[in-house]
Amino acid sequence: MIKRGWVLATAGCLSLLWPGTAPADAETLTGALARAYANSQGLNAARAQLRATDENVPQARAGMRPFVSGIGRATASRNRTTFGDNITTATGRAQSIGFGVEISQTIFDGFQTPNNVAAAQAQVRASQKNLANTEQNTLFDVVAAYMDVLRDRQIAALRRENLGFLQEQVRAAGARFEVGEGTRTDVAQAESQQALATALLNSALSQVAASEATYFDVIGDPPTDLEPGRAPMSVLPRSVDSAFAISQQEHPAILATLAAVDAAAFQVKSAEGALLPQLSVVGQIDDTYSLSRSEGGDLPGVNTSIGGPNVLTQNEMSATIGAQLTIPIYQGGRASSVVRQSKETLGQRRIEVDNARDQVRAAVATSWAELQAARANITGYQAQVQAARLALNGVIEERNVGQRTTLDVLNAQADVISAQILLVGSQRDEVVTAYGLMSATGRLSAERLSLAGPKYKPEEHYIQVEDKWFGLRTPDGR
C-alpha cells in the first residue's frame, strides 16, 4: 500500500512538471504577455513620455514661424494749472485707447532652428527605441513572474506530496514499533523528517504568495490556473555568433544611443549658430482713438471759454514694418561655453554607444550560456529523478523485508524530492533564459511574439503633431 500510494503521488507531481492538456479557463503565457502589453502602468507611462517628447519637434519648428501678438492699450491723464495775476485756473484731461497687431518673423537665425528640429527628431527616434527597450523589459518581467509562480506552485505541490509520504512513514514506523518490528529511533527519525517537511511546505507556500504578488504587480491580474510555459525556440538564433550579430544591429538600447549621438551633434551646430548674425522682420498695425479737453487759463477781463471747453478728438491708423539685423560681437563668453558644453555632451553620447554595445554583448553571452546550461540540467535532472525514484522504491521493498532501515527510506525520499525541485527550477530557467536571449538580441516584442490585441504604433502620434501649427487638444481629444 505504501508503494502504490507513492506511485500515485509521483504521477501527480509529474503532471505539474510536464505540459499537458490545460483546463479550458487556464491562463497561458502568451495571454499574460498580451495583457501586460496592453495594461502595464510602466509601459503606458513610457508611451506617454514618448508622446511628450514628440512635442519637441513642433516646438523647435516654431523658431522659424511667425509670432503674432495682439496689442491693446488705454491711457488717461488729468492736469490742473494755477496762474497768478488773476489768470483763471486751467484744467485739462486726455484719454486714448488703441488696438494693434504685431507680427514678428525670423528670417535667419544662424541655422539654429533647422538644427534644433533635426535634434528634436533624433530625440524622438531615441525615445522610440527606449520605448521598445522598455517593452522588452516589461515582457521579460512578465515571463519571469509567470514562470516563478508556476515553479513555486510546483515546488509547493512537491513539498505537500512529500509531507503526505512522510506522514505515512510515521504511521508505518509507529505500527512496526507497536508489533516489535521496529525501534523507537525509527519513529523519532520519521517524526523529525515530518516536522522538517511541514516547515519547508510553509516556506514554499510563503514563496508562492510572494511570487503571486509580483505577478499581480507586473501583469495587473492575480494568477489563476497557469498553463506550463514553453521556450520560443523557433525564433531564437541558431548560434551565439548569430546572436551577437543580430543584437549589435537590432537591439533598441544600441539604436537609442546612436540616435542620441545624432541629437547631440545637431545641438552642437545649433549652439554654434548663436555666434552667427540674426535677421528678423517686424510689422505692426495700430488703430488709436484719443480725446483731449482743456478749459480755463483766461486773462483778466478776457473769457476765451465762452463757447465751452476746448475738445479735440482724433482717430489715428498707422502701420510700420522694419527689419533688424543682429551681429553678435561678444556675449560674455556664454555662447562659447554652450558650444564647448555641447561638444562634451556629444563625446559622452559616443562613449555611451560603446558602453551599450558591450552591455548587450555581455547580456547575449550570459543568456546563451544560461540557456545551454538549463537545457543540459533538464536532461541531467530528469535522469536523476528517474534513478532516485527507482532507488526509493527499492529501498522501501528492502526495508519491508528487514534489509534496510527507516532512515534509509527517508534519505532516499529526500533524494527524490531534491531532484524533482531541481528539475522544476531548470524547466523554469529554460523558458526564462530563452526569452532573456530574445531580449538580449533585441527581438522580444509584441510583433515577434504575435500577441493578441492591437499593437501600439508610436509613429502615429508623431505624424499627428510634428507639423501642427495650433490647437490645445491632444490627438486623443484631451
Side-chain angles (χ1 to χ4, degrees), residues 51-244:
R51 292 193 295 270
T53 303
D54 290 343
E55 295 292 348
N56 290 339
V57 176
Q59 291 173 18
R61 292 187 189 277
M64 294 297 289
R65 290 175 178 173
F67 281 62
V68 182
S69 304
I71 302 172
R73 55 184 174 273
T75 61
S77 63
R78 300 179 68 89
N79 61 76
R80 181 173 184 272
T81 305
T82 303
F83 303 96
D85 300 327
N86 296 322
I87 300 176
T88 61
T89 300
T91 61
R93 61 174 181 161
Q95 298 171 338
S96 67
I97 184 170
F99 301 93
V101 177
E102 182 180 89
I103 302 176
S104 176
Q105 173 66 61
T106 299
I107 304 300
F108 179 73
D109 63 353
F111 305 107
Q112 292 184 73
T113 294
N115 287 314
N116 288 337
V117 171
Q121 292 172 335
Q123 290 171 349
V124 169
R125 294 195 298 273
S127 296
Q128 289 176 345
K129 298 306 178 183
N130 285 329
L131 175 61
N133 198 43
T134 301
E135 176 185 328
Q136 284 203 143
N137 295 335
T138 300
L139 295 178
F140 178 77
D141 290 343
V142 171
V143 174
Y146 185 99
M147 296 305 299
D148 285 349
V149 171
L150 194 61
R151 176 201 60 192
D152 294 338
R153 284 180 174 179
Q154 291 171 348
I155 291 176
L158 290 171
R159 293 291 186 192
R160 187 176 287 107
E161 296 289 351
N162 181 52
L163 179 59
F165 175 85
L166 294 175
Q167 288 172 341
E168 177 61 24
Q169 295 303 308
V170 170
R171 186 200 64 77
R176 287 193 300 272
F177 176 72
E178 290 176 357
V179 299
E181 295 181 359
T183 66
R184 185 65 184 170
T185 301
D186 293 335
V187 176
Q189 289 173 337
E191 290 175 344
S192 173
Q193 292 300 312
Q194 178 189 12
L196 177 61
T198 302
L200 293 176
L201 174 59
N202 292 332
S203 297
L205 293 175
S206 174
Q207 184 59 45
V208 169
S211 298
E212 290 179 346
T214 301
Y215 182 101
F216 184 87
D217 179 55
V218 174
I219 299 174
D221 293 316
T224 56
D225 294 331
L226 303 185
E227 182 180 346
R230 295 177 176 83
M233 298 302 180
S234 60
V235 295
L236 293 179
R238 299 303 179 187
S239 66
V240 66
D241 292 334
S242 175
F244 284 140

Side-chain angles (χ1 to χ4, degrees), residues 299-314:
L299 295 175
V302 179
N303 186 2
T304 60
S305 304
I306 298 177
N310 184 21
V311 178
L312 175 64
T313 62
Q314 66 178 20

